[in-house]
Amino acid sequence: MSRDLALHDVISAGIAVAAGLAAALVLRVVLRWLGERARRTKWSGDDVIVDVLRTVAPWAAVAAGIAAAAAALPLNRAVGHTVNQILTAGVMATVSFAAARVAGGLVRSVAQSRSGVAGSATIFVNITRVMVLAIGFLVILESLGISIAPLLTALGVGGLAIALALKDTLANLFAGVHILVSKTVQPGDYIRLSSGEEGYVVDINWRNTVVEELSNNLVIIPNAKLAGTNMTNFNRPEQKLSVTVQAGVAYDSDLEHVERVTVEVAEDVMRTVGGADPEHEPAVRFHTFGDHRIGFSVILGVGEFSDKYRIKHEFIKRLHQRYAAEGIRIPVPARTVELRRTAEPVIPRPRVP
């Protein structure tokens, strides 16, 4: 110590610490009130910022109180410098974690607003958090008087060995970034791979893509495999799509009457069934003179891929009921089998000399 410790030094230090704690309590109450107001807004970014401030601001107030208490005490230069460095490093670490949360939350908010779904592309969130924490770590080392130049050199040399060891992981990472940047697949899209897997894309993280099937099972696909396989995206370029239903009527049917009745049923389904596209104009196209019927296709419109099962279900039920009421016959396959009785074959006997 530079001089002897006096009573007023202890009182001043206690007042500084108490003031820091009181400020932390007041900030916590005020920020809780702001958090309630932020939750009422439509933008989710203010929720993230207020939530982070509720963590950072009280700790910063406590650190400021401790720093003021240390300044009030008769500490020598070395001890005071050490205390200030520790407090500065603590505040910077708290700010770094808070900044990582803010940046990750903002990136998540942007990803959700652009994709329009609850799922998020966590690959960008994780990359943002790692970058912010890495920068904060380097700043903390620099504030403590530790030179970061040798560390950066060592990281540059060791990065090659790490890249070779994590070749598959890095391939999946860059493949996931490429998929999201090119917008070939986004969370919420319904996709089907050439290998047969299909479902909704739930998330694209730094290693794999999570696809939820209609049976609620999850399919985990490595990003590199997803980027290198043939894939059908039923949400691109637009979410609405057409569904074709095959049907057929007997040869003695009035095809004009059949077409008119079928279109009426299809239009009724488009208007009344949830998931159908009411703006779609149904179409009937005759295409085949079959063995026992004239085949045709009915083209319906649905809002998204998973709705096609319900639309086809309702259309077939209503079409069958309407055909029965209109007297339109749907023939069934018939085969004629002719049996002929033949004489028993005569087996020649061998001749014995």
Side-chain angles (χ1 to χ4, degrees), residues 258-331:
V258 170
E259 181 177 3
R260 183 174 60 256
V261 170
T262 306
V263 170
E264 291 177 357
V265 174
E267 290 177 347
D268 180 65
V269 171
M270 294 293 97
R271 289 192 307 267
T272 59
V273 179
D277 182 11
E279 299 179 357
H280 178 81
E281 184 178 353
V284 177
R285 297 293 182 265
F286 296 96
H287 55 73
T288 305
F289 286 102
D291 294 337
H292 58 282
R293 66 175 188 172
I294 297 177
F296 61 92
S297 300
V298 184
I299 304 175
L300 308 174
V302 298
E304 60 175 312
F305 183 83
S306 61
D307 294 330
K308 72 174 188 177
Y309 301 103
R310 180 171 61 255
I311 302 304
K312 293 174 67 174
H313 168 77
E314 290 294 332
F315 174 73
I316 291 175
K317 286 198 310 181
R318 299 185 185 187
L319 186 65
H320 181 268
Q321 182 179 6
R322 183 67 182 277
Y323 277 5
E326 296 288 340
I328 299 175
R329 188 166 58 90
I330 303 176

Side-chain angles (χ1 to χ4, degrees), residues 49-319:
I49 296 175
V50 173
D51 182 61
V52 172
L53 289 177
R54 289 178 61 181
T55 303
V56 175
W59 286 107
V62 172
I66 296 175
L73 294 175
L75 303 177
N76 56 35
R77 185 183 301 274
V79 175
H81 180 68
T82 302
V83 171
N84 289 331
Q85 281 189 329
I86 293 175
L87 291 176
T88 303
V91 172
M92 286 185 176
T94 305
V95 171
S96 298
F97 281 103
R101 289 178 57 188
V102 170
L106 292 177
V107 171
R108 186 188 302 274
S109 176
V110 172
Q112 290 179 359
S113 63
R114 290 191 175 184
S115 60
V117 293
S120 62
T122 57
I123 181 172
F124 288 145
V125 176
N126 293 333
I127 291 176
T128 303
R129 288 177 177 175
V130 170
M131 291 178 60
V132 173
L133 290 177
I135 294 174
F137 178 71
L138 295 178
V139 172
I140 291 173
L141 292 181
E142 190 69 24
S143 66
L144 294 176
I146 301 175
S147 179
I148 62 175
L151 179 61
L152 295 177
T153 304
L155 290 177
V157 174
L160 179 60
I162 296 175
L164 293 176
L166 301 177
K167 181 179 64 175
D168 295 337
T169 301
L170 293 177
N172 289 323
L173 173 63
F174 289 114
V177 173
H178 170 71
I179 290 172
L180 289 174
V181 171
S182 61
K183 295 184 179 181
T184 56
V185 177
Q186 295 290 322
D189 291 352
Y190 193 95
I191 63 173
R192 177 187 293 163
L193 304 182
S194 58
S195 54
E197 296 90 350
E198 64 178 72
Y200 287 100
V201 177
V202 178
D203 191 16
I204 303 176
N205 54 45
W206 62 275
R207 188 177 183 276
N208 50 52
T209 299
V210 182
V211 176
E212 183 179 3
E213 297 180 325
L214 295 179
S215 58
N216 294 331
N217 296 324
L218 295 180
V219 180
I220 311 300
I221 306 171
N223 292 332
K225 180 181 178 181
L226 182 64
T229 187
N230 295 331
M231 175 185 59
T232 303
N233 191 335
F234 292 95
N235 288 68
R236 308 288 171 176
E238 62 178 349
Q239 192 172 8
K240 297 179 181 179
L241 68 154
S242 300
V243 177
T244 303
V245 180
Q246 302 296 332
V249 293
Y251 273 93
D252 57 355
S253 302
D254 183 358
L255 297 187
E256 293 292 341
H257 181 58
V258 170
E259 181 177 3
R260 183 174 60 256
V261 170
T262 306
V263 170
E264 291 177 357
V265 174
E267 290 177 347
D268 180 65
V269 171
M270 294 293 97
R271 289 192 307 267
T272 59
V273 179
D277 182 11
E279 299 179 357
H280 178 81
E281 184 178 353
V284 177
R285 297 293 182 265
F286 296 96
H287 55 73
T288 305
F289 286 102
D291 294 337
H292 58 282
R293 66 175 188 172
I294 297 177
F296 61 92
S297 300
V298 184
I299 304 175
L300 308 174
V302 298
E304 60 175 312
F305 183 83
S306 61
D307 294 330
K308 72 174 188 177
Y309 301 103
R310 180 171 61 255
I311 302 304
K312 293 174 67 174
H313 168 77
E314 290 294 332
F315 174 73
I316 291 175
K317 286 198 310 181
R318 299 185 185 187
L319 186 65

